[in-house]
Amino acid sequence: MIQAAHGIRQFDLALPHGITLACRAADVAPAASAPRVLLLHGFPEAAFVWDEVMRRLAPDVVSMAPNLRGFAGSSAPAELAAYRAKPLVADLVSLIETMGAPLDLLVAHDWGGALAWNLAAQRPELLRRLLIVNSPHPAAFLRELRHSPEQQAASAYMNFLCRPDAEHLLAENDFARLWPFFHGADGNAPWLTEPVRAQFRAVWSGDGLRGPLNYYRASPLRPPLAASDAIHTLSLPAEAVTVHVPTRVLWGLQDAALRPGLLEGLEQWVPQLQVQRLADASHWVVHEEPGVVVAAIRSALAA
């Protein structure tokens, strides 16, 4: 299926291992030598959040944003094991190989960033550069979830999202429990206009939340509730999580869910690192500061 919406082309991309991803790209013919950029979204979003960024990058950058497995029209396997890191990263490997490796730049936010960190550590030959937007490196996240009361409290919502009835509870009363996720430190989200809300409703409706919530259910990286929780024994060897790809991190310091402590000591796992801190931005940098995101992408490509 191919559709066009407000300068954005929508299409389904079938990967060789049987997963199909619903994708979006700018509906503009790119320059012949244009660099290739892949953009990955997080929870509770979908690929449409990158539309404005892709429009601003076109036509001198070839950009594509897939809906991750389980999200908004992409393949959504029923079994929980399908949402663990290995099969999710396999989707990205297959996608990049289909596009033509190496990718010039991988840009990723939130859960997309979790996958991107893993991909860059395990398959660095598939990408030239990495840009992370408010998504914690797994080793830093593990450290903070174990030892930081501030991060444990900030991440407490993750255990709620793992409840078997979370889909039903989040959908109640026009998704009343989901909208507050987007509120900044001042309780406002000016970018969350009614047309944008309609886009979110479209991807959340029906059974649209089950796949996204399975990311949380399948992951051991969440605040401990008991001494027997997997996070206490989880091991992330340095060689398995060290990223040798040149990496930029764009971080909104007002992120209520991911606290600034996650940036501390990041250099030990990311030797080629640049960090840009945004004092007034929250977790939703892509919505709040699309121009900053575009500038960071162009800067990374120019480097």
Side-chain angles (χ1 to χ4, degrees):
M1 176 182 65
I2 298 179
Q3 300 176 347
H6 306 296
I8 297 296
R9 180 169 57 97
Q10 304 174 60
F11 57 98
D12 293 338
L13 183 60
L15 302 178
H17 60 293
I19 293 294
T20 296
L21 301 180
C23 300
R24 303 172 76 87
D27 193 24
V28 178
S33 60
R36 291 164 303 133
V37 175
L38 184 63
L39 304 125
L40 306 179
H41 68 86
F43 177 90
E45 302 194 295
F48 76 84
V49 303
W50 296 107
D51 285 0
E52 180 61 23
V53 170
M54 291 193 291
R55 290 190 194 100
R56 295 192 189 193
L57 291 173
D60 50 327
V61 173
V62 177
S63 57
M64 184 171 75
N67 286 322
L68 299 176
R69 175 187 297 216
F71 285 80
S74 291
S75 295
E79 62 275 13
L80 194 59
Y83 298 89
R84 292 179 181 146
K86 186 174 181 179
L88 294 172
V89 172
D91 289 352
L92 298 185
V93 171
S94 184
L95 176 57
I96 293 172
E97 290 176 341
T98 299
M99 294 174 66
L103 191 70
D104 291 292
L105 178 66
L106 178 60
V107 184
H109 173 244
D110 191 74
W111 265 111
L115 305 187
W117 282 121
N118 278 278
L119 175 73
Q122 297 167 21
R123 298 293 304 273
E125 76 279 5
L126 294 179
L127 61 154
R128 293 193 170 100
R129 295 186 178 276
L130 176 65
L131 173 60
I132 294 288
V133 184
N134 279 73
S135 182
H137 184 278
F141 200 26
L142 176 60
R143 179 196 67 204
E144 296 298 286
L145 286 175
R146 280 179 174 165
H147 304 299
S148 168
E150 180 186 22
Q151 187 57 57
Q152 290 170 353
S155 296
Y157 72 94
M158 299 174 73
N159 289 314
F160 171 82
L161 297 182
C162 292
R163 290 176 50 145
D165 59 349
E167 296 94 327
H168 171 72
L169 294 174
L170 291 175
E172 286 181 338
N173 302 317
D174 184 32
F175 307 103
R177 289 182 174 88
L178 270 174
W179 301 121
F181 275 59
F182 299 119
H183 294 167
D186 58 2
N188 296 315
W191 59 266
L192 192 59
T193 62
E194 190 52 41
V196 174
R197 286 176 182 264
Q199 288 180 290
F200 278 112
R201 289 188 185 98
V203 301
W204 295 342
S205 296
D207 202 27
L209 289 171
R210 182 175 301 278
L213 291 172
N214 281 340
Y215 281 62
Y216 293 94
R217 293 166 177 148
S219 173
L221 280 173
R222 56 179 183 266
L225 292 174
S228 60
D229 283 0
I231 195 171
H232 294 298
T233 57
L234 182 64
S235 176
L236 296 176
E239 62 271 16
V241 295
T242 298
V243 173
H244 294 290
V245 174
T247 301
R248 295 186 179 212
V249 171
L250 193 61
W251 199 276
L253 294 177
Q254 301 305 314
D255 191 327
L258 301 171
R259 305 306 299 144
L262 291 162
L263 297 174
E264 295 177 7
L266 196 53
E267 297 84 358
Q268 64 183 298
W269 301 293
V270 193
Q272 299 182 71
L273 176 69
Q274 293 182 351
V275 178
Q276 181 179 352
R277 294 169 172 84
L278 303 176
D280 298 323
S282 75
H283 185 70
W284 313 106
V285 178
V286 177
H287 300 282
E288 296 167 343
E289 300 283 357
V292 173
V293 175
V294 170
I297 291 172
R298 294 191 181 277
S299 177
L301 289 172

